[in-house]
Each structure stands twice: as C-alpha cells, then as structure tokens.
Amino acid sequence: MRAIIQQFGPALESIALEHYTPASLSSSQIQLKMRFSTMNPSDLITISGAYRSRISLPFIPGFEGVGIVHQCNEQDSAFSIGDRVLPIGSAGAWQSYRNIDERWCFTVPNQLSDEQAATSYINPMTAWLMLSERLQIQQNMTVLINAANSAIGLMLVRMLNHLGIKPIAIVRRDNTLQEFEGCKLQRIININNRDDYHSLIKMKHHIKVDAILDCIGGGESLMLSSLLKEHGQFINYGLLSAQPIPPQFWLERPDINFSYFHLRQWIHSAEKIDIQNKLNEVMQLVYKGIADTKISARFSLKDIHSALNYIQTNEETKKGKILLTF
C-alpha cells in the first residue's frame, strides 16, 4: 500500500491510498521494505504545492523513514538483504516498499532503535549541520534561538549545551520551564508577554548577542536583528510566520553575517561520504539522547487520514513526531 498525490492541495483532500506492485529495480536501485516513516508539518506544505516547481505529479510523500533491504544486486551493492537503511534525498517514504537509488541510502548503527533511526534525519541533521558547518562557535558566546520549545528548538538547545554553550530561549507563551528540563539556558523570554518583550528590547543595551538562530522570519527577524552585535551571525532556517524577512532587515543591519540554511541544499551539494559522516555524528547524538525525538503518536499507513487530522489539530505534534507504520 502507498499514499499518492495526484493533485496538489489540502492534504486531507489530496492524499489517496492505493495498492500497488513495486516496479522492477534498475541496476542502480535497491528495494526497501519500510518499517517507519515520519509525518511532518513540512510534508503538508509540500502536498499543498508550495514546491511544485521541483516535484512532478503524481508523487509519494514522505522525506524521512527507515527500511530494510528487501531486494538488491548483492554482487554489486554495498548493501545486503536484511540491512537497515536510511533513505534520503527525495520524497517517497509513505509506501510499504520503496525503490531508491543506492547512492541515497545510508547505513544505520545497530544501537539505534527503528524509531530512533526513522527520526534521525530532518530535525537532527538540520540542527547539527547549522551548528557544526555554519555557526562560528566561540567560547562563552551568546546564542539566541526563537521557537526554542519546538522539537527542533529543543534539539538545538541540547546540542549547544553539548558544545558548552547556554543559549537564550525565545518562546511564545508562559510556563515553558518544564519543557526545558535538563537544559542549560541563560534565560527564557516569552515574546508575547509585555514585560518579557520590553526586557528583550532593553537587552541590546547591556547584552550583545553573538548569533541568532531564526525559524520565524517576518517582523520577528527584524526585531531580533537589533540585538545582534556588530558583524554578528544570523542564520535563518524557516519561515513559520509565513512572511519573508523584510527588506529593512538588510537596510538597518548591513553589517550582519547573514545566511539561510536549507537541509536539501546541503544534502544535494555534498559527497556521499560526507553525508554518511555527518549522519554518523548525528546518530551518536541521537543515541546519547542529545538529538533524540519525542514520538507524539503512531498510525498505520492505512489510517493516514486519521494521522493528518491529528497533525493538524493536536499541539503535541509541535513537540514530537508522528510515525507511520507498515
């Protein structure tokens, strides 16, 4: 069984389930029997047609999951039947059997559970690549993270702690301290609390922030930029506000060391050995609990419409992942 999109639109209306016979393998492919796939809010954005310029219809959604090698050319393949594999680089994880080019398949260490392996790519890899490849780490630096109590925000906090840094956490509601249990922070600021907001604005007079990790965009990016020290680093990795960073950002702070980070761009420009090495680092962090992911719910693929209802209506999905089982 697989989920298939014949036309872009709202996920509940666009996703259909169908039985299918997997195609014959080409010489460069292996076939995986999927064990788990994840459902992310970003999958719904893809299904809506936001990236239609690079996705042809029909397509199988799902960018993250883990499977077992079911078929391969064992004489020429680096894998053997029964090996556990992380397939990345394209959509196609929401199906029972997946044919995929072997160059986009990566090994998984034995110590990870299937659930850990299935959730070890999108958020953990994005967070770790930003910190290890993009952020200019300095001792005792001040890093500010917005949406810090989101799944990836908490991951960034734990990873920064692992690197010896206590960040400032920006959130959007009160009483979030328990969500940061075990984390080391300079402070938590609720940007929707008037007193907290004013203290945040005043902070630029006595604390200069070295780096900002922003996934909101819009006016919040502009406001936070005023807190950054001269030539400070600003990394944007999302637009949860659905608004671009305004032109005033660059007019007011032309000195800022600004960059966007997109996992897809890094993955599609890196050599396979470099991707595997980074995945190995990430999976060690997953195993240690630093980059582990909370599972909000599990649904069988045949119940995918229930899963879609859940992800659209349940606040818990902002803190964890939905797993699809096969």
Side-chain angles (χ1 to χ4, degrees):
M1 183 175 287
R2 64 185 179 186
I4 190 166
I5 308 298
Q6 300 284 0
Q7 61 181 17
F8 296 115
L12 275 168
E13 300 171 17
S14 301
I15 288 181
L17 289 172
E18 66 177 21
H19 293 281
Y20 72 108
T21 300
S24 299
L25 294 177
S26 71
S27 59
S28 63
Q29 288 184 321
I30 61 177
Q31 185 179 97
L32 304 180
K33 185 179 188 307
M34 298 302 293
R35 285 198 168 177
F36 291 103
S37 297
T38 65
M39 178 180 285
N40 299 287
S42 57
D43 291 314
L44 277 58
I45 295 172
T46 302
I47 292 166
S48 75
Y51 309 113
R52 66 182 68 202
S53 61
R54 65 171 188 253
I55 294 179
S56 300
L57 294 171
F59 81 99
I60 312 300
F63 288 89
E64 186 178 48
V66 67
I68 299 295
V69 177
H70 184 251
Q71 288 185 33
C72 66
N73 184 340
E74 292 195 85
Q75 291 184 335
D76 298 327
S77 175
F79 299 100
S80 300
I81 291 174
D83 286 351
R84 196 163 50 147
V85 166
L86 190 77
I88 68 170
S90 62
W94 294 1
Q95 54 186 327
S96 303
Y97 292 89
R98 181 179 186 184
N99 294 356
I100 183 170
D101 196 303
E102 187 173 317
R103 72 189 179 97
W104 290 110
C105 294
F106 296 86
T107 59
V108 177
N110 292 333
Q111 65 262 36
L112 289 194
S113 69
D114 285 345
E115 293 186 354
Q116 287 175 317
T119 56
S120 64
Y121 176 51
I122 293 179
N123 280 352
M125 192 72 158
T126 298
W128 186 241
L129 283 170
M130 277 198 295
L131 300 186
S132 64
E133 296 289 314
R134 192 65 58 84
L135 184 65
Q136 298 166 7
I137 298 287
Q138 305 165 21
Q139 193 173 19
N140 299 319
M141 72 187 300
T142 297
V143 180
L144 186 150
I145 305 170
N146 60 7
N149 57 333
S150 66
I152 192 169
L154 288 167
M155 204 170 285
L156 283 164
V157 170
R158 295 195 300 266
M159 287 179 177
L160 283 167
N161 288 171
H162 176 67
L163 296 170
I165 296 168
K166 294 194 295 184
I168 296 171
I170 304 295
V171 299
R172 308 189 82 81
R173 53 185 170 80
D174 290 325
N175 303 315
T176 59
L177 182 60
Q178 187 175 356
E179 296 173 39
F180 293 99
E181 185 177 0
C183 296
K184 298 176 182 177
L185 296 166
Q186 286 192 34
R187 60 190 298 192
I188 302 172
I189 299 172
N190 174 8
I191 203 168
N192 286 336
N193 178 295
R194 180 183 295 181
D195 291 339
D196 274 13
Y197 181 80
H198 287 308
S199 70
L200 178 67
I201 298 300
K202 291 178 182 177
M203 199 171 72
K204 62 185 175 184
H205 300 300
H206 56 91
I207 295 177
K208 282 300 182 181
V209 175
D210 296 288
I212 293 173
L213 305 178
D214 166 48
C215 65
I216 303 294
E220 186 165 318
S221 297
L222 179 62
M223 183 274 292
L224 292 178
S225 70
S226 68
L227 307 176
L228 206 58
K229 73 176 186 180
E230 188 175 6
H231 304 299
Q233 196 170 4
F234 193 108
I235 303 173
N236 173 270
Y237 65 101
L239 295 174
L240 291 180
S241 66
Q243 299 295 321
I245 296 174
Q248 302 98 292
F249 180 97
W250 289 276
L251 292 173
E252 294 182 10
R253 293 300 309 269
D255 62 290
I256 283 178
N257 178 5
F258 178 88
S259 61
Y260 289 108
F261 183 82
H262 299 291
L263 177 62
R264 183 180 184 275
Q265 290 179 357
W266 191 93
I267 291 295
H268 284 269
S269 62
E271 298 292 331
K272 181 170 183 176
I273 184 63
D274 296 325
I275 299 173
Q276 183 69 69
N277 288 339
K278 278 297 171 185
L279 282 169
N280 291 345
E281 293 174 17
V282 164
M283 290 178 186
Q284 279 299 309
L285 295 172
V286 171
Y287 179 67
K288 294 176 180 178
I290 296 167
D292 203 12
T293 299
K294 176 184 175 183
I295 306 301
S296 295
R298 298 165 181 79
F299 292 88
S300 170
L301 181 64
K302 64 182 174 61
D303 295 323
I304 194 167
H305 290 92
S306 297
L308 289 167
N309 273 318
Y310 184 89
I311 199 172
Q312 292 175 329
T313 60
N314 197 302
E315 282 290 314
E316 285 299 304
T317 59
K318 296 179 181 178
K319 305 172 189 175
K321 288 284 183 82
I322 290 177
L323 281 182
L324 296 175
T325 62
F326 300 89

